[in-house]
Amino acid sequence: MRHTIAKGSAVLLLSLTAGCAYNSDEIQPVNDTMAPYINMRQYEFYTEVDQPLNFSNIGGYDDIDGMLPTRVRGYIDYSRPGDYYPSIVCTDLSGNESEQVITIHVVESGQLPVPEVTETPEPTPSTCETGTDPKKPCSAVLNESISAYHTLYAGEEGREQCEAAYGEDACEVIVRNDGSFWGYGAK
């Protein structure tokens, strides 16, 4: 038994000292004042009585913290018909918060509205024929550009944030489809 305790103590001591093996001068805090984005396309929802909605597929994104979870704030009584106006909320690690009010219509069983059937529109011609990808708008940052970086910083102020977090050599300019400046990315 004594051998097991000594062995466990050595592992614990090694773990504690390994966590302290960094130079605190190298870590620089990032001043994050921007609220995260909430990724939503729909703001009005219908459901039948006693059929709670699941909002776990709605996420948030922060330029500093990356992907973030969201939560629902507000009152919804799924046991009685009515209109409810809760919010989808996303808070980043610096405490900045975004909030998007949504509408939930709780209706009696069998009373869900029938969606209108519309014809699929013809594809619109490109809005950026001189861009890198003529199928995308000029102002879009192409997915290939976004996926090449693990952290993105929008705007000119993003340069300082990126360099403070990753160093000058790790930050590269990110451009829109038309070649205009968008921000910075760290690989």
Side-chain angles (χ1 to χ4, degrees):
M1 184 76 162
R2 184 174 186 167
H3 177 69
T4 304
I5 293 172
K7 186 176 182 181
S9 297
V11 171
L12 178 61
L13 180 60
L14 180 60
S15 296
L16 291 173
T17 57
C20 297
Y22 67 88
N23 182 350
S24 63
D25 294 336
E26 294 176 11
I27 298 176
Q28 298 178 3
V30 176
N31 186 17
D32 182 7
T33 58
M34 299 293 292
Y37 308 102
I38 298 175
N39 299 320
M40 294 181 66
R41 292 187 180 176
Q42 180 180 347
Y43 305 95
E44 187 171 15
F45 302 87
Y46 288 86
T47 188
E48 293 180 344
V49 170
D50 295 325
Q51 297 296 315
L53 296 171
N54 180 355
F55 294 103
S56 64
N57 62 334
I58 298 174
Y61 180 80
D62 184 68
D63 291 338
I64 304 294
D65 304 322
M67 298 302 294
L68 296 167
T70 61
R71 65 187 185 285
V72 178
R73 179 190 294 158
Y75 177 75
I76 310 164
D77 186 350
Y78 289 108
S79 67
R80 53 176 34 160
D83 294 335
Y84 302 92
Y85 305 95
S87 298
I88 302 294
V89 179
C90 184
T91 306
D92 68 15
L93 299 177
S94 298
N96 302 310
E97 183 177 273
S98 293
E99 180 176 14
Q100 176 60 56
V101 176
I102 61 174
T103 302
I104 297 177
H105 304 282
V106 178
V107 298
E108 292 289 348
S109 181
Q111 299 297 313
L112 285 175
V114 178
E116 292 182 27
V117 178
T118 58
E119 292 182 28
T120 305
E122 291 293 321
T124 57
S126 170
T127 57
C128 195
E129 293 181 19
T130 60
T132 305
D133 185 346
K135 298 176 185 172
K136 303 281 183 182
C138 288
S139 61
V141 177
L142 301 178
N143 288 341
E144 300 80 37
S145 297
I146 292 172
S147 63
Y149 302 95
H150 65 77
T151 308
L152 304 174
Y153 300 90
E156 189 57 48
E157 63 277 1
R159 179 179 186 170
E160 291 176 17
Q161 294 173 343
C162 184
E163 290 177 357
Y166 297 99
E168 191 173 321
D169 295 335
C171 301
E172 297 177 358
V173 171
I174 297 175
V175 296
R176 293 180 178 96
N177 187 27
D178 65 358
S180 64
F181 173 79
W182 179 84
Y184 293 87
K187 289 191 174 188

